[in-house]
Amino acid sequence: MAKVCSILLSMILLISGCSLFEKENLQPKDQQGDEAIVLQQEIEVVAEMLRVPWSINRVNQVFYVSERTGSIVKIDNGKMERQQVELEKPLAKAAEAGLLGFVLDPQFPSNQKAFAYYTYENGQGQFNRVVILHLEGNKWSEERILLDRIPSAAFHHGGRLKIGPDGKLYITTGDATTPQTSQDLRSLNGKILRMNLDGSIPEDNPFDNSYVYSYGHRNPQGLVWIGDTLYASEHGQSAHDEVNLIKPGANYGWPVIQGNEKKAGMETPLFQSGDKTWAPSGMAAHNGKLYAATLRGNAIREFYLEKNTTSPVTTGLGRLRDVYVDGEYLYFVSNNTDGRGNPDEKDDKLYRVLLTNLK
């Protein structure tokens, strides 16, 4: 009987192995003790051997993935090309620092431009800046600085860039381990910033002559819209991670309140992790559900807005940094090579899974 089962299993594996993508059959494990039932899913590997990937972009059928080590990886029909990025300043070597946020210009097919957020050091300290990159051949170069000298530290850089449905560039910044700056409207730290694509301040920003769109954040790393409504993910202090509905000019409380604590004039999150740690990063949305890649949570976590519930829908792949929805698939990247994970010999990877399998 055991021999027959072994033969049948071998036949199944041979049949399932015929694919344009490498497939991994995983039985996800809920490492956070959630009550939700997570079903086995078939997850495909689109690309591997990535170096601490941070942001996923796609135009037509081609992916552009930023790597914290300072490269952009172009992935076209399974073929990888690591493109050089020439920056004016050398990347900082602090934990969590490097080439972080990266988003293609809406006119990228014609102008070959993108926006990037990176951490650098000079004789005066460590800072983050937002720049325009231009692609020529297979090399990106820093063309223009849009915003500079965002104070930085060993941790809490923020770093997510997204272009909203209003055509504006949104930028998340961390508190750079100085919590009180999150409440200071004169500081760029602990904020979600909003700018025109030319770097100017939009006239309809909530504070006069200021990039600040919302404040009181600790280390926000994910942005996504459903319609015109903006949501953001945020790392809490020793758990109490958050998913927030972002309102222009609103104060999200850090470091005065966290989790479900309340105070007049401050917002409480839609979801928060309590005593558990998710460390949510990049976000995507589909059919009224938010999806967040989580680092400490080692999962793609689903947030069902209508039912106000949350549960992991894929786990078992280690630390996850960004997530992207396109058509019928959800794509995401692991971050096991960031110095805090347990990488295998082919990490890091870009994965995809059918959205219909996320039940």
Side-chain angles (χ1 to χ4, degrees):
M1 182 63 180
K3 184 176 181 180
V4 171
C5 290
S6 177
I7 293 171
L8 288 173
L9 178 60
S10 298
M11 292 175 65
I12 292 169
L13 291 173
L14 284 170
I15 292 170
S16 64
C18 299
S19 171
L20 292 175
F21 299 93
E22 177 187 347
K23 295 185 178 181
E24 295 189 1
N25 292 316
L26 303 170
Q27 179 62 54
K29 296 179 291 184
D30 179 8
Q31 300 175 358
Q32 293 290 335
D34 296 80
E35 296 178 359
I37 297 174
V38 184
L39 302 178
Q40 180 174 339
Q41 292 142 12
E42 190 175 67
I43 298 177
E44 300 173 310
V45 177
V46 180
E48 54 194 20
M49 302 297 291
L50 300 173
R51 302 169 184 168
V52 200
W54 222 88
S55 297
I56 304 171
N57 287 262
R58 188 178 185 184
V59 58
N60 299 321
Q61 301 302 309
V62 181
F63 287 94
Y64 292 87
V65 178
S66 70
E67 295 180 313
R68 211 180 80 192
T69 52
S71 302
I72 305 297
V73 177
K74 178 182 177 182
I75 304 164
D76 187 359
N77 195 30
K79 181 181 178 181
M80 287 178 53
E81 176 187 36
R82 182 163 281 108
Q83 299 176 331
Q84 179 184 357
V85 180
E86 288 191 350
L87 301 170
E88 289 186 1
K89 302 285 187 180
L91 291 174
K93 299 185 183 302
E96 302 179 4
L99 177 59
L100 305 177
F102 176 79
V103 63
L104 299 175
D105 186 286
Q107 305 302 318
F108 172 74
S110 59
N111 68 16
Q112 298 290 282
K113 293 184 180 182
F115 302 90
Y117 182 109
Y118 76 90
T119 315
Y120 70 92
E121 294 178 90
N122 63 18
Q124 297 176 309
Q126 183 173 286
F127 302 95
N128 295 299
R129 62 166 45 165
V130 180
V131 301
I132 294 176
L133 299 179
H134 184 232
L135 177 64
E136 291 188 58
N138 66 347
K139 182 174 71 175
W140 296 84
S141 58
E142 183 173 335
E143 181 176 275
R144 182 182 169 195
I145 301 170
L146 298 182
L147 184 60
D148 201 2
R149 298 182 68 83
I150 302 169
S152 180
F155 306 103
H156 302 180
H157 308 288
R160 187 65 57 189
L161 300 183
K162 284 290 183 72
I163 295 175
D166 56 3
K168 309 299 184 185
L169 180 64
Y170 290 74
I171 304 146
T172 73
T173 67
D175 68 7
T177 69
T178 308
Q180 61 268 25
T181 61
S182 297
Q183 290 294 317
D184 184 354
L185 288 173
R186 297 167 298 177
S187 169
L188 294 175
N189 290 104
K191 309 296 190 297
I192 294 175
L193 308 177
R194 178 176 181 258
M195 68 167 57
N196 295 316
L197 298 189
D198 63 2
S200 61
I201 297 172
E203 293 183 359
D204 59 348
N205 267 11
F207 303 103
D208 290 340
N209 197 34
S210 173
Y211 289 111
V212 175
Y213 189 73
S214 64
Y215 65 109
H217 299 288
R218 182 174 181 269
N219 191 23
Q221 289 195 355
L223 296 171
V224 70
W225 285 260
I226 295 181
D228 293 327
T229 303
L230 173 60
Y231 300 89
S233 67
E234 181 168 339
H235 293 197
Q237 182 181 39
S238 299
H240 299 291
D241 299 315
E242 299 179 359
V243 170
N244 288 292
L245 188 158
I246 303 300
K247 305 171 187 176
N251 181 353
Y252 289 83
W254 175 253
V256 182
I257 61 172
Q258 64 177 345
N260 285 330
E261 296 172 350
K262 298 181 185 296
K263 186 170 183 177
M266 296 182 178
E267 305 292 324
T268 55
L270 290 178
F271 300 90
Q272 62 98 18
S273 66
D275 294 331
K276 302 173 184 176
T277 299
W278 299 333
S281 190
M283 298 184 75
H286 180 74
N287 282 352
K289 298 177 181 178
L290 306 176
Y291 296 94
T294 68
L295 297 157
R296 285 283 298 278
N298 290 272
I300 299 298
R301 179 166 283 273
E302 176 188 277
F303 299 88
Y304 197 167
L305 297 175
E306 183 178 337
K307 295 184 178 180
N308 196 34
T309 59
T310 178
S311 63
V313 291
T314 70
T315 62
L317 297 168
R319 296 167 62 80
L320 304 180
R321 174 61 73 179
D322 197 18
V323 61
Y324 180 91
V325 168
D326 191 7
E328 60 183 346
Y329 285 98
L330 183 146
Y331 295 84
F332 57 98
V333 286
S334 64
N335 234 211
N336 294 315
T337 60
D338 68 355
R340 297 177 179 177
N342 297 299
D344 67 29
E345 61 182 10
K346 294 185 178 181
D347 272 334
D348 275 311
K349 301 173 187 175
L350 171 64
Y351 297 96
R352 78 174 188 178
V353 61
L354 281 166
L355 285 159
T356 54
N357 286 346
L358 301 181
K359 298 177 181 179

